[in-house]
Amino acid sequence: MVSRVIPVDPFDLVVIGATGDLAQRKILPGLYRRHLAGQMPPEARILGAARSDLTEAAFRAMVADALAAHVDAAKQHPAEIAAFLKRIGYVAIDVSGAAGWGALKAALRPDVVRAFYFSVAPGLFGELAERLHEHGLATPQTRIVVEKPFGRDLASARALNATLAAHFAEHQIYRIDHYLGKETVQNLMAVRFANILFEPLWNAQYIDHVQITVAEAVGVGGRGAYYDKSGAMRDMVQNHMLQLLCLIAMEPPWHFDPDAVRDEKLKVIRALQPVPAPDIVRGQYVARDPAPGGAGYLHDAGNPASRTESYIALKVHVANWRWTGTPFYLRTGKRLRARTSEIAITFKEPPHSIFDDARGWRENVLVIRLQPNEGINLKVMIKEPGPGGMRLVQVPLDMSFATALGEDGTDIPDAYERLIMDVIRGNQTLFMRGDEVEAAWAWTDPIIAAWEARGDRPQPYDAGSSGPEDALMLMHRDGRRWREIRE
Ligand code: NAD
């Protein structure tokens, strides 16, 4: 199946923080792939902006290096790279000062879609919005793309929302959560709302529980000092994992329209119950000596007294008619056994077994895999083939997007490139609205405040393991078990 590419309107995209890690590793390579796919009209232009005093030629050389490092070799076509680099300009600006804004204004066209991608430190987001306004860069056709983290608690998120709202309308603000840009995540909505099969079963009567896992094999590495101020709850649960939970738990929106979808997600966030202490397990990785692959968390964080969690597991309840009685178990952590992200929906037992030998019986599980190998897999029971009576066996109905949609999966756009094209198209469905972000913090804040007030210490877990012992117990005590963490 070859995906159709519909070109977007001409645009000026300004990547602010264009010399930084995110721009070089994700944004610019992603834009090249969209160029290669034919999604950019000839008039589309990309402007890098950052503090470094670079010539346009030097910035283009930097982008060429970024493409060489971060684009699949099969997609590195010299003529296309040259054509892509021709779209690119550079302006040196200082978000905290006056330098460069006049040159930036002069470089932009008044009559095309204009987008500013805020790929600078989160402490600069508010100031940057003010600068754009002050220098007359915010036209009615302007959108801003705001990176994560969006605040570190409800108060800071509200303050940032207020600053952005002073200069931009909500329909111009694109708060990015790259998890929502993944093919599988959108497919979750297609599976739920474009098929009749699942929706009648999609409730506490038929679903036993839901597991959401985002496991990383790497530690906090060079970002230790930054991460230590945040932790897994703020860094992963408040945003990415809650967004995934919302897509599973939300009611069908009346239409696939940005506000209709986001209204339904917001209702889920508002229905989240406070999480009591016994339903939370926090952990910190430790590396036994000699440590293959690195040191322990305290060393990586540069803070021997740190109480920040590099792992968290929680049992979450959504208090509404559909979900009361079905727990959502969330877990995420660093330095775990493998890098994997998935949602697993475990259905209940049939009400009565007609088979004498039900030893092979297992629950139906719908697994939505975000990485690696994006795809959906439904585990169903069948008869074991061959003579010898009716023996049951579970088999996966596998829909791997890589094989279903492209020769080798390389045609599946990366989350960032898909989301940037949505920005240009003016489609906010996959971006978080201000009230959603605030509601998510309103749920998160008291959980964090409670463990801080108790002075809880995270439980150590071995680097390369599946997480702390207590996290296993969180499931065992409910007669359930986590799925194995593996690639
Ligand atoms: P970085 O430190 O590598 O890059 C920051 C960029 O901002 C550089 O280009 C720098 O020149 C520019 N900059 C700094 N101060 C400036 C100023 N006063 N005026 C103009 N430009 C200035 O950071 P990063 O890792 O690329 O992250 C960028 C944003 O993306 C951050 O908000 C981060 O939280 C978010 N983010 C990054 C990643 C990632 O993988 N790197 C992932 C998720 C979110």
Side-chain angles (χ1 to χ4, degrees):
M1 206 188 305
V2 178
S3 55
R4 261 184 310 147
V5 173
I6 300 165
V8 295
D9 289 338
F11 63 84
D12 281 345
L13 170 66
V14 186
V15 181
I16 303 175
T19 59
D21 175 67
L22 183 71
Q24 298 283 314
R25 226 164 26 82
K26 291 284 183 186
I27 303 172
L28 292 159
L31 288 165
Y32 167 71
R33 285 190 291 264
R34 290 298 91 208
H35 160 92
L36 193 61
Q39 202 165 8
M40 284 189 198
E43 308 85 1
R45 293 212 337 236
I46 299 156
L47 268 178
R51 238 180 347 190
S52 317
D53 197 11
L54 295 174
T55 61
E56 222 152 64
F59 181 67
R60 284 183 181 161
M62 192 182 215
V63 177
D65 288 347
L67 302 186
H70 302 293
V71 172
D72 274 351
K75 296 206 164 191
Q76 301 211 14
H77 306 304
E80 291 296 345
I81 291 178
F84 177 70
L85 294 177
K86 282 208 184 107
R87 297 178 183 276
I88 291 187
Y90 182 82
V91 180
I93 56 156
D94 182 0
V95 174
S96 309
W101 296 99
L104 181 56
K105 190 170 185 180
L108 296 173
R109 295 167 290 177
D111 51 351
V112 296
V113 170
R114 184 179 290 186
F116 294 97
Y117 196 124
F118 290 19
S119 185
V120 290
L124 294 176
F125 292 164
E127 226 176 314
L128 179 49
E130 277 164 9
R131 276 301 100 76
L132 294 176
H133 177 80
E134 181 184 313
H135 294 281
L137 291 164
T139 59
Q141 289 225 65
T142 294
R143 290 116 211 223
I144 59 171
V145 185
V146 186
E147 256 303 331
K148 78 170 245 199
F150 198 93
R152 68 178 322 271
D153 52 20
L154 178 57
S156 53
R158 269 196 184 140
L160 180 53
N161 270 335
T163 307
L164 299 182
H167 308 300
F168 296 93
E170 182 62 32
H171 69 82
Q172 297 179 292
I173 305 171
Y174 289 72
R175 295 172 194 79
I176 204 161
D177 184 324
H178 68 275
Y179 271 65
L180 296 183
K182 289 181 182 289
E183 183 76 19
T184 340
V185 171
Q186 293 164 70
N187 240 305
L188 176 56
M189 286 190 274
V191 164
R192 278 195 66 189
F193 303 130
N195 297 287
I196 193 75
L197 279 182
F198 294 105
E199 203 49 30
L201 305 180
W202 209 259
N203 55 52
Q205 194 183 343
Y206 295 106
I207 293 182
D208 178 73
H209 73 280
V210 177
Q211 295 185 25
I212 306 178
T213 300
V214 177
E216 291 175 81
V218 295
V220 295
R223 291 173 66 231
Y226 160 80
Y227 185 91
D228 201 46
K229 296 196 197 76
S230 143
M233 184 74 178
R234 287 192 170 95
D235 192 44
M236 294 301 297
V237 177
Q238 184 273 344
N239 40 43
H240 308 310
M241 298 187 82
L242 278 194
Q243 287 294 321
L244 298 179
L245 184 152
C246 283
L247 296 178
I248 302 165
M250 73 182 185
E251 295 301 316
W254 76 271
H255 189 241
F256 193 62
D257 153 278
D259 277 324
V261 170
R262 297 184 301 174
D263 285 346
E264 296 306 334
K265 282 172 24 197
L266 179 62
K267 287 182 205 163
V268 174
I269 299 175
R270 291 200 171 137
L272 295 174
Q273 291 296 284
V275 185
D279 289 352
I280 304 173
V281 178
R282 297 163 67 235
Q284 262 177 0
Y285 59 84
V286 290
R288 307 281 173 214
D289 207 28
Y297 178 79
L298 296 177
H299 175 276
D300 285 353
N303 176 7
S306 171
R307 292 185 179 184
T308 303
E309 75 285 355
S310 63
Y311 174 100
I312 190 165
L314 312 112
K315 178 178 169 185
V316 176
H317 292 284
V318 181
N320 61 20
W321 276 42
R322 189 188 281 262
W323 293 115
T324 294
T326 297
F328 288 71
Y329 297 92
L330 275 45
R331 66 178 163 165
T332 180
K334 306 266 182 200
R335 286 300 298 277
L336 294 173
R337 178 172 293 156
R339 172 175 178 261
T340 176
S341 300
E342 64 167 37
I343 300 165
I345 294 154
T346 302
F347 291 85
K348 289 189 174 170
E349 292 182 27
H352 165 70
S353 172
I354 63 167
F355 301 107
D356 292 333
D357 180 6
R359 274 175 300 183
W361 185 83
R362 300 276 178 281
E363 301 103 337
N364 296 131
V365 187
L366 180 68
V367 182
I368 297 137
R369 208 168 156 85
L370 277 59
Q371 65 186 19
N373 316 323
E374 287 196 53
I376 293 183
N377 179 310
L378 176 65
K379 300 224 161 82
V380 293
M381 298 306 302
I382 60 162
K383 177 192 167 297
E384 198 176 283
M390 177 64 94
R391 286 192 306 272
L392 301 176
V393 63
Q394 190 169 55
V395 293
L397 282 181
D398 204 348
M399 190 170 81
S400 156
F401 297 152
T403 42
L405 298 178
E407 298 239 310
D408 53 2
T410 54
D411 281 339
I412 299 180
D414 172 82
Y416 283 94
E417 57 193 88
R418 172 191 305 272
L419 291 173
I420 295 172
M421 291 299 106
D422 279 358
V423 172
I424 305 301
R425 273 194 293 258
N427 185 341
Q428 287 184 307
T429 311
L430 300 174
F431 295 82
M432 293 179 293
R433 210 168 52 191
D435 51 2
E436 262 186 273
V437 179
E438 289 186 16
W441 280 121
W443 176 78
T444 310
D445 275 4
I447 297 174
I448 296 177
W451 77 53
E452 283 179 351
R454 288 192 304 268
D456 287 357
R457 284 183 180 283
Q459 191 181 46
Y461 63 95
D462 283 345
S465 71
S466 299
E469 287 285 315
D470 283 359
L472 300 180
M473 292 313 298
L474 181 72
M475 279 283 199
H476 281 192
R477 69 170 203 231
D478 293 345
R480 302 184 174 108
R481 53 198 306 175
W482 292 108
R483 287 168 50 79
E484 217 178 295
I485 294 179
R486 61 186 153 91
E487 291 217 350

